[in-house]
Amino acid sequence: DAGVIQSPRHEVTEMGQEVTLRCKPISGHDYLFWYRQTMMRGLELLIYFNNNVPIDDSGMPEDRFSAKMPNASFSTLKIQPSEPRDSAVYFCASSFRVGVGLSNQPQHFGDGTRLSIL
Amino acid sequence: AQSVAQPEDQVNVAEGNPLTVKCTYSVSGNPYLFWYVQYPNRGLQFLLKYITGDNLVKGSYGFEAEFNKSQTSFHLKKPSALVSDSALYFCAVRDIGTGGFKTIFGAGTRLFVKA
């Protein structure tokens, strides 16, 4: 079974450019998460979706960041305009709920997109 | 508010010796607790979780963790370390009471196993 698939694996672009990161969750998973990992701040939750609907976007750093999930098998994280401080590894993860009120399943992570803004 | 502390940035152990990676947590209610491992240039991989029941949880690759409610700890252990266990380890907590999936991760502990 394929895991969470992220693309591209690496992205290098100049400050001010638009960046779009893509994620395909595991089939059947109804939760999708976007994280950012840096040495200074560790692993930060940016936003998560349930059944394609954003549930908590309190971690999105600024209006320059936006995320969408148009269907159950695809999500994007967009940064416009990008800045050097956005350089990080961005992870997508997915999970599922086994029953009403049960949120005890782990998250399955993709291998990330390493983003460098020059 | 939920929080997780991993007090050691790095743990060094010789191959064949037991290892412990420490984790303490804080939640307003009861927790779901998780350990993940990250290898270079890879995403986090799930190792084990505590949901309820037995305080000693067994997971992948011979790892286990002990839930201690009074000490609010969830330390990761392995009886005999392998060089291939060298990686970055994350403890994570989720508050059952919220019913949601918001998970707080610790800062990570880098484990070095020396041959």
Side-chain angles (χ1 to χ4, degrees):
Chain A
D1 187 19
V4 174
I5 299 172
Q6 292 187 245
S7 64
R9 287 297 314 275
H10 303 273
E11 176 88 14
V12 181
T13 192
E14 293 188 345
M15 182 175 66
Q17 297 298 306
E18 178 178 291
V19 173
T20 299
L21 311 182
R22 296 172 175 80
C23 175
K24 177 179 170 57
I26 292 173
S27 177
H29 284 194
D30 54 353
Y31 284 83
L32 183 138
F33 308 80
W34 282 101
Y35 289 90
R36 177 171 67 177
Q37 185 178 37
T38 61
M39 290 291 290
M40 292 297 294
R41 301 174 69 90
L43 196 64
E44 303 173 275
L45 175 65
L46 300 178
I47 185 171
Y48 80 92
F49 295 82
N50 176 220
N51 290 325
N52 315 335
V53 176
I55 302 300
D56 186 341
D57 66 354
S58 58
M60 295 286 265
E62 305 171 32
D63 291 345
R64 298 184 297 106
F65 285 69
S66 62
K68 294 182 180 179
M69 193 164 185
N71 57 61
S73 59
F74 183 66
S75 177
T76 59
L77 178 68
K78 188 174 292 187
I79 308 173
Q80 166 63 18
S82 58
E83 296 183 5
R85 60 194 168 116
D86 302 330
S87 298
V89 181
Y90 290 81
F91 288 104
C92 176
S94 69
S95 189
F96 63 100
R97 188 184 291 276
V98 292
V100 176
L102 292 177
S103 57
N104 58 18
Q105 294 302 309
Q107 294 166 51
H108 299 258
F109 284 76
D111 284 335
T113 295
R114 185 172 296 274
L115 177 63
S116 297
I117 309 297
L118 306 177
Chain B
Q2 305 158 218
S3 67
V4 176
Q6 292 182 242
E8 303 152 316
D9 290 336
Q10 184 170 311
V11 170
N12 298 309
V13 64
E15 187 174 35
N17 283 0
L19 70 87
T20 299
V21 183
K22 295 179 181 177
C23 171
T24 59
Y25 67 91
S26 174
V27 295
S28 56
N30 292 314
Y32 290 140
L33 293 157
F34 304 83
W35 276 102
Y36 291 82
V37 61
Q38 185 180 28
Y39 297 100
N41 300 314
R42 300 298 302 276
L44 279 68
Q45 297 176 32
F46 168 68
L47 276 180
L48 52 80
K49 66 180 179 182
Y50 172 81
I51 303 301
T52 187
D54 202 349
N55 290 340
L56 186 63
V57 178
K58 294 188 183 295
S60 307
Y61 312 121
F63 284 93
E64 57 190 29
E66 186 166 11
F67 171 64
N68 187 317
K69 187 171 184 177
S70 62
Q71 297 186 6
T72 62
S73 66
F74 189 55
H75 301 331
L76 182 70
K77 301 182 180 184
K78 187 173 183 181
S80 178
L82 300 172
V83 172
S84 57
D85 293 330
S86 299
L88 187 57
Y89 290 81
F90 290 93
C91 181
V93 66
R94 194 181 290 166
D95 190 336
I96 297 174
T98 67
F101 268 71
K102 186 168 185 175
T103 307
I104 304 301
F105 286 82
T109 298
R110 191 165 296 281
L111 174 67
F112 285 101
V113 182
K114 186 176 179 181

